[in-house]
Amino acid sequence: MSTTASAAAADKRYSNTFLRLKKKLERSVGEAIADFNMIENGDTVMVCVSGGKDSYSLLSILLALRERAPVNFRLVAMNLDQKQPGFPAEVLPAYFESIGVEYRIVTEDTYSIVKDKIPAGKTTCSLCSRLRRGIIYRVAREIGATKIALGHHRDDMLETLFLNMFFGGKIKAMPPKLVSDDGQHVVIRPLAYCAEHDIERFARAMAYPIIPCNLCGSQENAQRKQIKQMLQSWARDYPGRIESLATALKNVVPSHLADQRLFDFQGLDRNTVVAEGDTAFDPMPLPPRSGNIVPILDLDTAAD
């Protein structure tokens, strides 16, 4: 049975609610691919699949989009088995075989290296990430991949934005598309416009064979966990706030920040035309809280 026929048959098993969700995610991924020119005709896209909900969903959506895309591209699913204790090595190959996707399983014992180099009790994520990235780039070269697709979504990007602002002193998030430091690889994040709660619902309905993300024994990054909780509370208490934040990533006004590398403040004079004009003295609009108008002094800052 062809991939298209399999997808059609699978769709019949799901509710209209699920099908609307599927269409929403596919539309969001398609828009991100088009906006940032992520995938071009003739590309070989290596999709990094960890066994979590995000990467499974990314692979499924790209497979669906490939069937009706105006360009031809090859998809190769790739998993890195880092020899973490308890990792079920048979799960992903069996899944890839079941959906008929080309795949590559790479086994590298980075777990032992990290445990040897990092003292007990210290976070292992930084070294593990560097080792994993190097292996992914090597495998991309070996299979001739022109793009490397990662499963980071909209919420990951916003969490990174606030982590960098609160703890790094930078307005910096995850870009939807980037070039590796050596200039050899283009990394894309097709889920850039997708909300995590939509991906969670999609993954539950698809019943993916999820592999736990705590196999290495490391605790979740405490700072990222706090940021995630903050954003989730905002999404719950202030509908539309997260969507507005995501939109803000695409609407940067350098003349109204303070980075002299992005805007010539020293050369600014009465003849300079700036974006947004003079808004320095405009009243700051604040959203209502629980149906009431927010007092002008309550700025609802993240530090509260």
Side-chain angles (χ1 to χ4, degrees), residues 149-169:
L150 304 181
H152 299 119
H153 46 66
R154 182 197 70 183
D155 298 67
D156 289 324
M157 295 167 71
L158 290 175
E159 288 167 17
T160 303
L161 171 68
F162 281 97
L163 279 168
N164 279 312
M165 287 198 298
F166 290 171
F167 305 106

Side-chain angles (χ1 to χ4, degrees), residues 50-57 88 91-92 203-204 207-213:
S50 64
K53 66 181 189 326
D54 304 328
S55 56
Y56 273 128
S57 298
V91 169
L92 283 167
R204 283 197 301 271
Y208 295 125
I210 301 294
I211 297 174
C213 62

Side-chain angles (χ1 to χ4, degrees), residues 66-203:
R66 185 178 63 171
E67 294 298 322
R68 56 180 186 272
V71 297
N72 295 315
F73 60 94
R74 172 188 174 208
L75 283 175
V76 182
M78 178 267 190
N79 171 255
L80 172 58
D81 178 356
Q82 298 177 263
K83 303 307 294 180
Q84 297 154 318
F87 182 78
E90 72 285 352
V91 169
L92 283 167
Y95 174 75
F96 296 147
E97 292 282 352
S98 72
I99 64 173
V101 68
E102 183 180 353
Y103 69 93
R104 175 84 175 268
I105 303 294
V106 179
T107 301
E108 295 280 355
D109 188 4
T110 62
Y111 176 82
S112 297
I113 296 174
V114 169
K115 288 300 182 183
D116 180 62
K117 300 295 183 183
I118 304 296
K122 298 294 184 180
T123 180
T124 61
C125 297
S126 178
L127 176 58
C128 181
S129 178
R130 290 199 301 273
L131 292 172
R132 186 170 61 247
R133 184 165 60 244
I135 295 168
I136 288 172
Y137 288 168
R138 187 201 77 210
V139 176
R141 286 193 298 271
E142 291 174 356
I143 68 173
T146 52
K147 304 285 172 60
I148 300 171
L150 304 181
H152 299 119
H153 46 66
R154 182 197 70 183
D155 298 67
D156 289 324
M157 295 167 71
L158 290 175
E159 288 167 17
T160 303
L161 171 68
F162 281 97
L163 279 168
N164 279 312
M165 287 198 298
F166 290 171
F167 305 106
K170 290 183 178 180
I171 299 179
K172 175 184 176 183
M174 288 179 175
K177 181 179 180 181
L178 62 87
V179 177
S180 60
D181 289 342
D182 62 6
Q184 299 300 307
H185 306 282
V186 176
V187 178
I188 58 175
R189 295 185 169 102
L191 298 179
Y193 291 167
C194 297
E196 183 173 21
H197 65 83
D198 286 337
I199 295 172
E200 288 173 342
R201 292 168 55 210
F202 181 75

Side-chain angles (χ1 to χ4, degrees), residues 15 18 100 119 147 157 159 185 203 219 250 269 289:
S15 67
F18 169 80
K147 304 285 172 60
M157 295 167 71
E159 288 167 17
H185 306 282
Q219 296 297 314
K250 299 171 64 178
D269 60 26
R289 175 184 289 172

